[in-house]
Amino acid sequence: MHARVGDEIVVRGTTSGVVTRDGEVVGVHHPDGSPPYDVRWADSGRVTLYFPGPDAYVRHLGHDPVAAPAGPGAAEPYTDAAQVAPAGGAAGAGGDRVRAR
């Protein structure tokens, strides 16, 4: 999992009755964007140090798109994750999922 400041962390409830929680990444401790992250949680406004588990994913928000490859025959740039649009909707409509490396 990799994140940048401004991305959103979403933590899904893994059992019945557990609410999904989300927050904004406000600090990254490693240059490669690996955990842990400082996250400002939407439900409380508190900033905590967060080590994501398997129930968490990153929504990459507000970043410049990856530059196009240079020249003919150049390999496509690798991105850390791919967003998938929910059925019947556009990407960013609340059902985005991120595929981790």
Side-chain angles (χ1 to χ4, degrees):
M1 175 179 294
H2 294 0
R4 294 182 275 187
V5 172
D7 286 345
E8 180 180 34
I9 294 280
V10 180
V11 184
R12 284 181 251 162
T14 56
T15 60
S16 178
V18 177
V19 179
T20 298
R21 188 173 193 206
D22 65 286
E24 178 186 0
V25 176
V26 295
V28 178
H29 294 263
H30 301 286
D32 67 351
S34 61
Y37 309 115
D38 294 328
V39 176
R40 178 180 297 118
W41 298 104
D43 59 351
S44 67
R46 291 186 59 213
V47 175
T48 63
L49 182 65
Y50 179 66
F51 292 84
D55 56 344
Y57 65 94
V58 174
R59 290 182 60 199
H60 299 287
L61 306 174
H63 300 295
D64 293 332
V66 176
E76 288 293 320
Y78 178 80
T79 57
D80 288 340
Q83 291 188 346
V84 178
D96 295 349
R97 289 192 178 83
V98 176
R99 181 179 62 227
R101 287 197 237 201

